[in-house]
Amino acid sequence: MKLLRDIPYNLRNLFRLRFYNRLMLYNTLIFLLVAYLLAFLASRYASELDTVKQLQQSRDALSAVFSFYNRKHDNFSNLVYTLYDSAETHNALSMMLESTSDDKYENDPFTKQKIVKVMQDIAVQDRDISLILIYKTLTDIQYVYNSNNKFIDRVGEDFPFFNQLKQKTAGRYIFGTQNIESGSLSQKVYGISGTLGTKEINRNAGQLLVTYNTQALEAILQEYNGKTQGRFVIVTNNGEIILDSNSQYGRVTFPLLKLLQSGVHSASINDKPYYIQTIANENRNYIAANLVPKAEIDQKNASIRFLIYGVFTAMAFVCAILYSIAGTFVSRRVNAVILGMKRVSSNNLSYRIPIYVGNDEFTEIVARFNSMCDELQATINREYINEIRKKNAELNALQAGINPHFLYNTLEAIRIKAIDDGNNDVAEMIMLLAHLYRSIVRDHTFITIRKEINMCGMYLSILSLRYASNLEYEINIEPQMMEYGIPKNLLQPIIENYFVHGIRDNNESNRFIIRGFLQDGDICFIFEDNGLGMNKSRLEHIQNLLKAVDSKTESSYGLSNVHERIYLVYGNPYGLWLESEENCETRVIVRIKAMTCEELDRNLSTIKNHGDL
């Protein structure tokens, strides 16, 4: 029992006496903390990315069924026109719909055959057509053509769609899916109807309802099987269900219709969160939707999170073992040094610490310690002087080798001070300046347009903090030109020119726009502002300077400098053009050849070899 009570004391004593052991423990804990923080961020990002991917796959399936159903509507007019293709067909239809006696039509096999023939012509235009219904307004009678037996029959009021169809007036209508029994077969069909006219009855002589089997819509969803999530529906604006991946058809109104029409992207349904994706056709009064429970998405994301945490846990475990092994090795070397110091301090000056093979810090320490024992006091004095000289040499080396990191660290210190004083704008400007300076110093002569635009963005961000709400700027660059090359810092002087000469300091509506686009194999940049502009004489003077490329009358890091750099790199007909109207606007146009950084470097080498630069 006493031994167990002494364990906490012994552990505390161990870590109190062995600083390196504590340091290794702290490093391990910090590493684990950082590792699991990165695992958390990585898993969260991966989950969000996978959620977007899963929803996009479902969105693709939703678009497919929506487009398919939309094509049925587009083709419906062609089906109706079939009834009026010929005078013979039109006469037969008119006779059928205008006759006050249905027996007269039904006992006329010649007319009836013509109607059957035109129904066949309609049915063959779309293999998804199941039944074609003709409602006769004059006698309140409905006929049905079955594409399977290719025959037309009169049906009673209990036939699906009959009561709905007889209530419709002139126009086009859509009908939700209903189940129709045909012999031993049962099929789910939806319908689209339109008004029929005859020679004597121009409007609403009857209704033509074409029904389509839902199998084609369901087959489209089946093609995405395993890639989609949730429930897919197509419903009319009055709540009739055209398609339901859960097969919950019926005459009841779709209960979530108002939720779909609201356009929300997420909602709680039956106390469960859902993602909602919708595509609506307002002109034709229907909407397609995909309802995905968040639990389904999270369930698939769980495996990703488990994998990420598992990988990071394994990495942390391996690193902890390596830390432990390294700590044991270092501890053994430290203990050897401590033992030697204890023996020497006990006046055993003949003791020497064994030197292991190697060239590391401990070998150097041991060698120095043994040398100290050999030379005793004289060696101590000599080592003291050598140490001072060594420190001075290191200081001189550091001072001689100072590099841009000095400026970065200085700016960072200023930024932190600004944050401590509450000057967040100043802190942000300093941070942007440091990033901008680093970009300018590190890169080569030619950089990608993406990097150049990033530097311009940082420069504008710095100045936008200066002008606050008095400045609005916009950068609109075509993505396909971002990887082409450009001379470094070519565009920044144009922006600087605006802030030096063009901006209105007391105006709250300053606007600066940068646009970039590809045109006929060249890259064009347009800089526009609504600033002070310039008068005609000043404009003509600057335009003359730009035309005289080799003129040295005015040397400045401005527009003429930019124009000359373009001329030297690209030659004619590339360069910079200026348009301006006093107190109104200024437009600077830059045109260069679309070349990669590698092509520009080779071109520059060629020019240097010929002595042109």
Side-chain angles (χ1 to χ4, degrees), residues 320-568:
I321 293 177
L322 294 177
Y323 266 128
S324 178
I325 294 173
T328 301
F329 174 76
V330 172
S331 180
R332 187 184 306 119
R333 302 288 299 275
V334 170
N335 289 335
V337 174
I338 293 175
L339 177 61
M341 294 176 64
K342 286 183 177 180
R343 292 193 177 184
V344 171
S345 64
S346 62
N347 293 326
N348 186 3
L349 299 179
S350 61
Y351 179 80
R352 298 293 179 268
I353 301 174
I355 298 178
Y356 295 94
V357 178
N359 186 23
D360 54 23
E361 293 84 351
F362 289 105
T363 301
E364 182 70 17
I365 291 173
V366 170
R368 295 287 183 181
F369 181 80
N370 291 339
S371 177
M372 180 192 65
C373 293
D374 291 338
E375 298 184 13
L376 207 53
Q377 195 66 40
T379 303
I380 293 175
N381 294 334
R382 186 169 61 252
E383 288 297 321
Y384 177 76
I385 295 173
N386 288 340
E387 188 67 16
I388 293 177
R389 292 177 178 173
K390 182 180 177 181
K391 295 296 182 183
N392 288 333
E394 290 176 352
L395 180 59
N396 291 333
L398 288 174
Q399 291 175 340
I402 192 166
N403 54 40
H405 288 289
F406 168 76
L407 181 57
Y408 304 154
N409 295 334
T410 303
L411 289 174
E412 178 65 13
I414 297 172
R415 186 183 73 85
I416 293 174
K417 175 59 178 174
I419 292 175
D420 293 340
D421 293 341
N423 294 325
N424 292 328
D425 287 347
V426 175
E428 186 175 356
M429 293 174 73
I430 293 172
M431 180 186 67
L432 291 171
L433 178 61
H435 291 330
L436 182 61
Y437 181 70
R438 181 180 285 108
S439 299
I440 294 174
V441 170
R442 287 185 174 180
D443 285 319
H444 299 84
T445 303
F446 301 107
I447 61 176
T448 62
I449 291 177
R450 184 183 305 279
K451 289 185 178 181
E452 180 74 5
I453 293 301
N454 285 340
M455 289 195 292
C456 291
M458 286 188 285
Y459 185 62
L460 283 169
S461 297
I462 294 173
L463 293 175
S464 65
L465 292 172
R466 155 66 178 86
Y467 289 97
S469 60
N470 290 344
L471 174 64
E472 179 182 354
Y473 69 89
E474 177 184 341
I475 300 177
N476 186 8
I477 307 297
E478 289 184 354
Q480 58 266 33
M481 61 183 282
M482 283 298 196
E483 301 307 320
Y484 284 103
I486 190 173
K488 182 173 63 177
N489 214 31
L490 183 71
L491 304 180
Q492 184 270 339
I494 302 175
I495 302 174
E496 181 182 358
N497 186 76
Y498 163 66
F499 284 98
V500 173
H501 301 292
I503 193 169
R504 303 172 188 265
D505 291 333
N506 299 322
N507 192 340
E508 296 183 357
S509 60
N510 287 300
R511 183 170 178 82
F512 187 72
I513 301 175
I514 303 175
R515 292 187 291 117
F517 53 90
L518 286 169
Q519 186 179 68
D520 300 329
D522 293 337
I523 293 173
C524 294
F525 292 97
I526 298 179
F527 301 79
E528 297 176 306
D529 66 74
N530 61 348
L532 298 174
M534 60 186 71
N535 56 41
K536 291 185 178 180
S537 61
R538 177 60 179 169
L539 178 62
E540 291 177 358
H541 175 69
I542 296 178
Q543 287 176 338
N544 291 333
L545 288 178
L546 295 177
K547 291 178 181 178
V549 177
D550 56 349
S551 174
K552 303 299 181 180
T553 57
E554 288 192 19
S555 177
S556 63
Y557 195 64
L559 301 183
S560 59
N561 179 279
V562 172
H563 183 68
E564 185 172 355
R565 291 176 67 196
I566 295 174
Y567 176 78
L568 290 174

Side-chain angles (χ1 to χ4, degrees), residues 121-166:
D121 292 341
I122 292 175
V124 297
Q125 294 184 43
D126 192 332
R127 63 181 181 180
D128 296 328
I129 294 178
S130 176
L131 303 174
I132 302 176
L133 286 72
I134 299 179
Y135 172 71
K136 182 178 177 181
T137 306
L138 197 60
T139 59
D140 198 27
I141 294 298
Q142 183 170 252
Y143 297 93
V144 175
Y145 171 79
N146 193 319
S147 61
N148 293 326
N149 57 30
K150 300 180 180 178
F151 200 77
I152 189 167
D153 295 306
R154 182 197 292 189
V155 294
E157 294 186 0
D158 59 340
F159 195 84
F161 302 109
F162 183 86
N163 289 327
Q164 294 173 271
L165 196 60
K166 66 187 292 185

Side-chain angles (χ1 to χ4, degrees), residues 174-328:
I174 55 179
F175 297 83
T177 297
Q178 296 188 35
N179 194 59
I180 293 182
E181 302 289 340
S182 178
S184 59
L185 299 177
S186 175
Q187 54 183 336
K188 298 187 291 292
V189 297
Y190 58 90
I192 304 174
S193 75
T195 306
L196 297 176
T198 66
K199 293 180 178 180
E200 300 295 332
I201 307 174
N202 292 330
R203 293 177 60 83
N204 205 20
Q207 296 278 341
L208 176 70
L209 173 64
V210 180
T211 65
Y212 303 86
N213 201 310
T214 60
Q215 290 179 351
L217 287 171
E218 293 168 352
I220 293 175
L221 290 179
Q222 191 64 29
E223 292 176 2
Y224 290 86
N225 187 30
K227 300 178 182 179
T228 60
Q229 302 291 326
R231 180 183 183 185
F232 292 85
V233 295
I234 300 178
V235 296
T236 67
N237 282 356
N238 58 4
E240 295 185 37
I241 301 174
I242 297 167
L243 171 69
D244 187 350
S245 60
N246 290 352
S247 298
Q248 296 181 9
Y249 299 104
R251 297 300 302 276
V252 296
T253 301
F254 187 66
L256 303 176
L257 178 61
K258 290 186 177 180
L259 180 63
L260 301 185
Q261 292 174 334
S262 67
V264 297
H265 300 295
S266 61
S268 179
I269 303 175
N270 296 328
D271 298 326
K272 295 180 180 179
Y274 277 73
Y275 293 107
I276 301 175
Q277 304 184 92
T278 59
I279 308 176
N281 190 323
E282 300 295 341
N283 295 330
R284 292 174 176 169
N285 300 320
Y286 60 87
I287 185 170
N290 172 227
L291 308 171
V292 185
K294 289 187 177 181
E296 289 187 16
I297 300 292
D298 293 340
Q299 184 177 4
K300 287 200 170 186
N301 291 341
S303 59
I304 298 177
R305 292 193 295 268
F306 179 79
L307 176 63
I308 292 175
Y309 278 109
V311 170
F312 274 89
T313 299
M315 291 173 56
F317 182 73
V318 171
C319 289
I321 293 177
L322 294 177
Y323 266 128
S324 178
I325 294 173
T328 301

Side-chain angles (χ1 to χ4, degrees), residues 73-138:
H73 280 270
D74 295 337
N75 191 51
F76 181 76
S77 297
N78 297 330
L79 300 181
V80 176
Y81 292 152
T82 305
L83 298 172
Y84 304 95
D85 278 347
S86 66
E88 185 180 11
T89 303
H90 190 195
N91 290 335
L93 178 66
S94 297
M95 178 181 177
M96 175 186 181
L97 297 178
E98 293 175 358
S99 174
T100 57
S101 173
D102 296 305
D103 293 335
K104 180 179 179 181
Y105 157 73
E106 293 178 2
N107 293 328
D108 184 352
F110 182 73
T111 302
K112 196 171 184 178
Q113 182 60 34
K114 289 181 180 179
I115 298 298
V116 171
K117 177 63 171 59
V118 76
M119 293 297 106
Q120 292 176 354
D121 292 341
I122 292 175
V124 297
Q125 294 184 43
D126 192 332
R127 63 181 181 180
D128 296 328
I129 294 178
S130 176
L131 303 174
I132 302 176
L133 286 72
I134 299 179
Y135 172 71
K136 182 178 177 181
T137 306
L138 197 60

Side-chain angles (χ1 to χ4, degrees), residues 574-604:
Y574 303 101
L576 180 147
W577 293 267
L578 180 65
E579 301 172 1
S580 183
E581 183 176 346
E582 190 172 8
N583 295 321
C584 183
E585 64 176 355
T586 298
R587 180 182 293 107
V588 179
I589 303 171
V590 173
R591 190 179 188 94
I592 60 176
K593 187 176 181 180
M595 301 173 67
T596 64
C597 292
E598 292 77 9
E599 291 172 338
L600 287 169
D601 284 330
R602 288 195 297 269
N603 187 52
L604 182 61

Side-chain angles (χ1 to χ4, degrees), residues 10-21:
N10 292 334
L11 289 175
R12 289 194 302 270
N13 188 53
L14 173 65
F15 285 108
R16 183 168 57 250
L17 294 177
R18 298 291 182 263
F19 170 78
Y20 190 80
N21 290 341

